[in-house]
Amino acid sequence: MTGTDQSSFLGRISIRRNQVNAMEGYHEQEIEDLELFQKQLSDRFAELLSAPDDAPTEAFLSISWIRKLLDVFLCCETECKAILLMERDAAQISKPPLDRLIPELLERVVKAMDICNAATNGVELVRHCQKLAEITVSALEQKPFGEGQARRAKKALVSLMSAMHVDDKESSVQKTAERSWSFGRRSGNKDRHHGHYRSLSWQVAKHWSASKQIHAMTMNLAAPRGPEASCLPAPVYILSLIIVFVMWVLIAAIPCQERSGLTTHLPINKHVNWTHSLAGIHDKIGEEWKKKEKKGMAGLLYEMQKMEKLGQSLIEFTDSYQFPGEKEKLDEVAAQVAELAEVCRRMDEGLVPLQMLIREAFHRLVRNRTEFLDVLEQGAPVV
């Protein structure tokens, strides 16, 4: 959805909410808004599901794909909040069942903020892997190539494979990237290269678990039924589900602490049209996670998967290399090195914008949690 389309959708809601004198048919108009919103969600997730499995620049679970997912999340969050809050009497938000559903949503938001922090730092491990891969490329591209270059490449590759095959239970990610916690102190240290501020706050607890965060977020998350399916509980459920789903994908793709059991069932209601593609993405990632979980890995990010495959092949080459080497084998390795260099280039272009987008999601969650709390306070009955 383009910015123009979203402005049109938000404008439509604002105009209708301001037509206070035309109350007849108001509920029907709200149903139309909700149906349009769900149609837009369906289209967005269908596009994400249709991403090719092996097209480097836009592959499923690639850096660019994750960025598109976060863009969808930010759009959804803005529109959902508009449906719930724009030009609406705060007293409506404080009535049952919203007086229960909104606080539950805000609890999920706090957990999502912590996952955003964990994912932001997990990107640092991916960048660390990128640097090791770049050392490998530099060594293997040397001319003339000899056993000294092979040893240098092997050393970098061994470190790369070690970094990629992390044991979540040992908090290996924490050893490589600085961890932070929600509501932490803002750092005054600015990243000179990329012009953004690093998150610097409390360390993640030793026994903090990404998968347990997701499990806790799914508690009491159930699709509304009957009349509630076409009124305010519906957008609350949609926003909750999208938050849980997007955080689940981030944890699956990017290194995070303690992800065992991540294939836990997400309560996606497959009987409504807008969730079909969402369920398809969930099933696709879940199957891939089951294949790789036992091996230990840094995540399902497409570029990391590609790097792992190339790294394993290049280690075999450096293990057996003897000067001057066979021409056919050297040509094959040169092609693999070029492919690895291209992966590093895409990482160099995409990881910092990805990290900044995750931080934007974090700050959006912070602001909107505050807005919801303010509305709940305004709508609370005077004692």
Side-chain angles (χ1 to χ4, degrees):
M1 186 182 199
T2 65
T4 301
D5 291 336
Q6 186 175 61
S7 297
S8 175
F9 179 77
L10 298 179
R12 166 194 173 113
I13 294 176
S14 179
I15 291 170
R16 287 188 172 184
R17 299 280 165 83
N18 282 312
Q19 293 172 342
V20 292
N21 296 323
M23 295 304 294
E24 185 178 350
Y26 180 76
H27 180 62
E28 287 73 16
Q29 291 179 345
E30 288 214 318
I31 292 175
E32 286 181 18
D33 292 340
L34 186 58
E35 289 176 346
L36 176 60
F37 174 56
Q38 291 175 333
K39 171 65 168 57
Q40 291 169 171
L41 277 179
S42 177
D43 292 343
R44 291 165 181 164
F45 282 104
E47 183 179 351
L48 288 167
L49 180 60
S50 65
D53 291 324
D54 197 28
T57 57
E58 54 188 36
F60 186 74
L61 286 179
S62 64
I63 294 170
S64 63
W65 189 92
I66 299 293
R67 288 169 62 184
K68 288 178 183 177
L69 174 70
L70 288 169
D71 283 334
V72 167
F73 166 68
L74 292 171
C75 287
C76 166
E77 188 274 340
T78 298
E79 292 162 9
C80 233
K81 189 183 69 173
I83 292 173
L84 285 165
L85 301 182
M86 186 180 286
E87 307 294 342
R88 189 182 295 281
D89 184 353
Q92 288 184 272
I93 305 298
S94 301
K95 294 178 180 178
L98 295 186
D99 62 337
R100 171 180 57 84
L101 296 176
I102 295 294
E104 289 177 353
L105 167 65
L106 299 185
E107 283 298 312
R108 295 184 185 101
V109 165
V110 172
K111 291 178 172 59
M113 288 155 58
D114 290 328
I115 291 173
C116 283
N117 260 332
T120 298
N121 288 289
V123 173
E124 290 297 332
L125 175 60
V126 179
R127 292 172 71 178
H128 174 66
C129 291
Q130 174 198 337
K131 298 305 178 187
L132 292 171
E134 288 172 348
I135 293 171
T136 300
V137 169
S138 176
L140 293 175
E141 284 183 337
Q142 288 290 315
K143 303 292 183 185
F145 182 80
E147 293 180 3
Q149 287 77 18
R151 285 193 297 270
R152 180 167 177 254
K154 180 181 177 180
K155 183 178 179 180
L157 284 165
V158 168
S159 297
L160 174 61
M161 291 298 105
S162 177
M164 295 184 76
H165 291 80
V166 295
D167 183 347
D168 291 338
K169 294 181 180 179
E170 293 178 358
S171 305
S172 300
V173 179
Q174 188 171 357
K175 298 175 184 177
T176 310
E178 178 184 87
R179 286 306 211 164
S180 53
W181 198 252
S182 293
F183 305 113
R185 296 166 297 173
R186 177 176 290 184
S187 169
N189 297 323
K190 192 175 182 183
D191 187 320
R192 296 178 182 175
H193 297 292
H194 303 291
H196 61 273
Y197 287 87
R198 293 185 179 278
S199 175
L200 180 61
S201 51
W202 303 339
Q203 293 286 316
V204 164
K206 181 179 179 181
H207 299 295
W208 186 86
S209 165
S211 58
K212 286 181 180 178
Q213 292 286 99
I214 293 293
H215 179 73
M217 291 171 75
T218 63
M219 299 296 289
N220 301 319
L221 180 56
R225 298 181 178 181
E228 290 186 356
S230 59
C231 54
L232 288 180
V236 176
Y237 166 74
I238 291 171
L239 182 55
S240 287
L241 180 59
I242 298 299
I243 289 173
V244 175
F245 177 76
V246 171
M247 294 305 115
W248 179 81
V249 175
L250 283 182
I251 290 172
I254 298 171
C256 284
Q257 181 174 315
E258 220 297 285
R259 297 176 293 179
S260 58
L262 193 59
T263 51
T264 301
H265 172 69
L266 296 186
I268 300 174
N269 180 4
K270 298 182 180 181
H271 298 296
V272 292
N273 290 334
W274 78 267
T275 62
H276 291 170
S277 295
L278 196 77
I281 296 171
H282 175 258
D283 292 344
K284 192 172 181 179
I285 293 175
E287 287 302 314
E288 192 66 21
W289 184 267
K290 287 177 184 177
K291 294 177 188 175
K292 298 182 179 293
E293 183 177 18
K294 293 180 181 178
K295 298 178 182 178
M297 39 119 198
L300 296 178
L301 193 68
Y302 175 83
E303 285 80 4
M304 290 288 273
Q305 297 289 303
K306 204 74 175 174
M307 186 176 284
E308 179 185 22
K309 183 178 179 181
L310 290 166
Q312 288 172 341
S313 178
L314 291 172
I315 278 184
E316 292 176 6
F317 166 73
T318 56
D319 271 341
S320 60
Y321 176 77
Q322 289 184 338
F323 184 82
E326 299 176 6
K327 184 180 184 306
E328 184 178 342
K329 183 63 177 177
L330 291 174
D331 289 344
E332 179 185 333
V333 167
Q336 292 176 338
V337 171
E339 192 173 355
L340 185 58
E342 176 60 20
V343 171
C344 290
R345 186 192 64 78
R346 290 200 304 274
M347 285 183 163
D348 194 54
E349 290 180 354
L351 285 177
V352 169
L354 172 61
Q355 201 170 43
M356 294 177 71
L357 198 53
I358 295 171
R359 286 173 176 166
E360 182 181 345
F362 171 88
H363 290 295
R364 180 77 67 84
L365 289 166
V366 172
R367 288 195 301 270
N368 288 336
R369 181 175 183 273
T370 302
E371 289 182 36
F372 272 109
L373 288 173
D374 288 344
V375 171
L376 288 176
E377 185 176 348
Q378 292 169 19
V382 178
V383 178

